[in-house]
Amino acid sequence: MRLRVRTLAGMLVTLLLLGWFGYKELPSFLYHQGYYQALLQWFPNDNYARPAINRLAMDIANQTGRGESDYIFVKSSGGASSSGTGNTKLDLQERADVIDKLEKLLAQYGHTEQMTNVSYNLALMHFWMGNWDRAESLLHEMDRMGGAEWISREEQKAYLAILESRHAQEGKASLEGVVRIGDEPVPNAFVMLQRTDDSTYYSPPLTHYPATMTDENGRYRFYGIDSGEYDVAVGVRTEQISGYYMTESESKSVVIDGMATAGHDVLFVPQVIAVSPGRKELIQGDELRLRWKPYEGAVYYKLNISYLYRDRNGKYTGAATTALSDQKYTGQEATFSISERNRNYNMYGKSYGQDGEVTLNTAGLLGMLYPGGEFAWSVDAYDEHDRKLSSSAGYFLHEDAITPIFRVEDNGLSEGDRLVIAARYEEAIAAYTLEGNNDHALRVLARLADQGIGKEDGNPAEALAYMERIQEPGESDKEFINLLRERIEKKRV
């Protein structure tokens, strides 16, 4: 009888211990299985509570981006950058639904230290959606909540400074101006300042530089800016400037002297209209004819060509632009020989993928308008003072852009050329080598050797050896040979 009681007691203790261990491990199980709501309901003070709240918020927020990618930042000195690469078309209802879910999560668990990261992500979603007051109140509330280690306090302060710039400030402004698109002032646009001698650039850029917002009349003001020379950048929604271009001001930069208020207005004007070749047009034969509409106030035009970068899966990743010609055109049409343009190899470029793979600029290897290539073209309009009035380029070269993107038929491509286009450089070198003293093959081999097909630098001596075998060198060949010789001589010194 005693043995049976002891056995039962032992079993009971074992069950209790198993139950206790099971209870202690239950939060871990719930967290790793994704049962965040149950974990927060039953174990609100467990160590897994905070990561569970954050994971729950991330699962909600990941349904859509915050909205940074819907903005583009255009600099007065030229150039533009976006804060993301996603679809730039806003799905306002989807984002509103996500914000509503995060607001309910915050209301359910309160403004506590554990909710710091949730509150911060919610504030930024409100910020990029244009809900300025709510974003500002959340960022202020976070100072009371604590949890500083879970967010960037510098970034929080930067966002707060931008939001607080909407309110009236005392004192004399360091810089002021108006932002307009066409004839209309632009309210709630971001305006940033970057020193002209600052070669670094952050993306997204907004919180890394002094920034403010325009009022309902499109006017902006900066206060307390250190003396110096600055570039001005304007951040607006992408759809706001679709079809517009930032016209060149008398001065591309602004000088702040700490005494008088400097002024700098920003104006986006209608783009120049490119007529042909149109989007997705296939160019056959050796002639490329470009046509565009006249632009009011323009005295002459200049033409550019952009080579589109795609990764090895065919996804668009960027573009490199260069002048198609140095000539100034006074009419609205220009004609080029594709074969002559392909003697130009000035579009060098080397990029590295996440897995370390190397991709070279194909136009820098096969020629400016190489067969089988995909290109965009643009025309810039200038006045009698050589000021750029506008351009057909705009700021978008992705799949949904209105920029005219054309293709050149792939007739005449060698096996080596096709391998270069496919970024299979080792195989391309072997194929070109089999061609012997073919001038085109030697040119490509020289440029592959000069740039290097891996992470290491190229070999100018090897490149020169290929170039010196060319039987009928042109002017660009001679220039490249001289450049290689100069580089080899500098290495010797």
Side-chain angles (χ1 to χ4, degrees):
M1 186 69 178
R2 287 182 181 178
L3 182 60
R4 185 175 300 175
V5 171
R6 288 179 180 176
T7 301
L8 290 173
M11 292 175 62
L12 180 60
V13 170
T14 300
L15 289 173
L16 288 173
L17 288 172
L18 289 173
W20 183 78
F21 281 116
Y23 180 81
K24 291 291 290 183
E25 292 300 317
L26 185 57
S28 174
F29 173 80
L30 293 173
Y31 175 76
H32 289 102
Q33 294 300 314
Y35 298 116
Y36 306 128
Q37 288 281 19
L39 169 60
L40 293 170
Q41 182 179 351
W42 298 338
F43 305 95
N45 299 316
D46 189 85
N47 290 335
Y48 280 98
R50 170 174 280 186
I53 290 173
N54 292 330
R55 288 297 298 269
L56 186 60
M58 287 174 58
D59 287 348
I60 295 172
N62 284 341
Q63 297 175 30
T64 181
R66 290 172 180 167
E68 306 102 311
S69 61
D70 302 305
Y71 277 82
I72 189 165
F73 294 85
V74 185
K75 297 177 66 173
S76 59
S77 58
S81 66
S82 62
S83 296
T85 57
N87 187 352
T88 57
K89 185 177 180 181
L90 277 172
D91 189 339
L92 298 177
Q93 186 57 52
E94 183 183 22
R95 290 186 186 154
D97 290 343
V98 169
I99 286 176
D100 183 60
K101 291 178 181 178
L102 290 176
E103 288 283 12
K104 289 178 179 177
L105 189 67
L106 185 61
Q108 182 178 358
Y109 296 104
H111 289 269
T112 65
E113 186 177 345
Q114 287 186 323
M115 294 296 291
T116 302
N117 199 41
V118 178
S119 297
Y120 190 56
N121 280 283
L122 178 59
L124 296 193
M125 291 196 74
H126 277 299
F127 181 91
W128 291 108
M129 281 283 284
N131 304 327
W132 316 116
D133 292 338
R134 180 55 177 157
E136 186 173 354
S137 67
L138 283 167
L139 291 173
H140 275 301
E141 181 65 23
M142 288 171 60
D143 289 329
R144 185 192 64 80
M145 292 163 56
E149 71 276 13
W150 292 90
I151 64 169
S152 168
R153 285 299 184 189
E154 291 300 317
E155 189 178 76
Q156 179 206 4
K157 290 178 181 178
Y159 278 115
L160 263 176
I162 295 168
L163 291 167
E164 290 172 346
S165 73
R166 300 174 302 139
H167 312 309
Q169 298 186 41
E170 296 182 358
K172 184 170 63 177
S174 303
L175 171 68
E176 64 180 10
V178 177
V179 179
R180 293 187 179 89
I181 297 178
D183 297 327
E184 299 297 323
V186 186
N188 299 322
F190 301 117
V191 184
M192 301 186 315
L193 296 179
Q194 182 183 10
R195 287 188 176 273
T196 54
D197 58 359
D198 183 1
S199 60
T200 62
Y201 190 75
Y202 295 92
S203 184
L206 190 59
T207 57
H208 296 278
Y209 307 96
T212 187
M213 293 177 66
T214 58
D215 61 19
E216 65 274 10
N217 298 312
R219 180 164 292 278
Y220 70 90
R221 296 177 179 85
F222 282 95
Y223 295 84
I225 301 298
D226 293 337
S227 298
E229 186 176 1
Y230 293 85
D231 291 337
V232 179
V234 175
V236 290
R237 293 192 184 278
T238 53
E239 71 269 16
Q240 287 181 279
I241 58 169
S242 180
Y244 287 87
Y245 188 85
M246 183 190 285
T247 192
E248 203 171 85
S249 302
E250 290 185 7
S251 175
K252 293 183 179 181
S253 60
V254 60
V255 176
I256 295 176
D257 59 16
M259 300 174 64
T261 298
H264 186 89
D265 292 342
V266 178
L267 176 62
F268 290 90
V269 297
Q271 289 177 228
V272 182
I273 298 177
V275 177
S276 66
R279 190 161 176 77
K280 297 184 179 180
E281 186 170 335
L282 178 65
I283 306 301
Q284 297 177 303
D286 188 54
E287 183 179 272
L288 173 64
R289 177 174 295 179
L290 307 179
R291 294 191 301 116
W292 58 93
K293 289 187 177 182
Y295 196 83
E296 183 178 357
V299 174
Y300 68 88
Y301 304 88
K302 285 189 173 183
L303 299 168
N304 308 296
I305 195 76
S306 297
Y307 163 74
L308 272 62
Y309 287 107
R310 295 187 183 276
D311 62 21
R312 301 192 181 195
N313 296 318
K315 182 180 178 182
Y316 169 79
T317 58
T321 301
T322 189
L324 188 54
S325 168
D326 294 331
Q327 186 173 340
K328 297 178 180 179
Y329 298 89
T330 56
Q332 285 81 53
E333 183 176 304
T335 303
F336 299 90
S337 164
I338 292 176
S339 58
E340 288 183 7
R341 290 292 90 195
N342 278 340
R343 295 172 187 165
N344 189 314
Y345 300 90
N346 64 352
M347 298 177 74
Y348 279 126
K350 191 174 187 179
S351 60
Y352 304 92
Q354 292 183 345
D355 297 327
E357 70 273 12
V358 172
T359 303
L360 302 175
N361 187 323
T362 308
L365 298 171
L366 302 184
M368 180 180 282
L369 295 169
Y370 66 90
E374 182 182 30
F375 308 92
W377 71 278
S378 60
V379 52
D380 301 334
Y382 292 82
D383 65 12
E384 68 274 15
H385 303 295
D386 298 320
R387 182 173 69 95
K388 187 192 290 188
L389 299 174
S390 185
S391 173
S392 68
Y395 303 103
F396 316 108
L397 281 176
H398 49 72
E399 309 316 295
D400 300 326
I402 60 173
T403 302
I405 299 174
F406 64 89
R407 295 178 182 274
V408 175
E409 66 176 339
D410 60 2
N411 288 349
L413 283 178
S414 68
E415 178 63 19
D417 296 339
R418 296 185 189 279
L419 290 167
V420 164
I421 293 173
R424 293 159 59 183
Y425 303 120
E426 289 186 2
E427 296 172 67
I429 290 172
Y432 286 129
T433 302
L434 291 175
E435 294 186 32
N437 287 326
N438 176 292
D439 282 358
H440 170 70
L442 291 170
R443 289 186 180 100
V444 184
L445 283 169
R447 282 164 174 80
L448 286 168
D450 182 46
Q451 295 183 62
I453 63 173
K455 292 183 179 180
E456 71 284 351
D457 293 334
N459 187 335
E462 181 184 356
L464 180 61
Y466 283 122
M467 292 300 297
E468 289 178 336
R469 289 166 54 190
I470 292 177
Q471 299 176 17
E472 298 181 8
E475 287 303 315
S476 63
D477 296 325
K478 295 175 183 177
E479 291 176 4
F480 187 41
I481 289 172
N482 290 334
L483 178 63
L484 290 170
R485 287 173 176 167
E486 290 175 6
R487 287 165 53 192
I488 293 170
E489 188 60 31
K490 284 182 180 179
K491 279 191 173 183
R492 289 174 180 166
V493 175

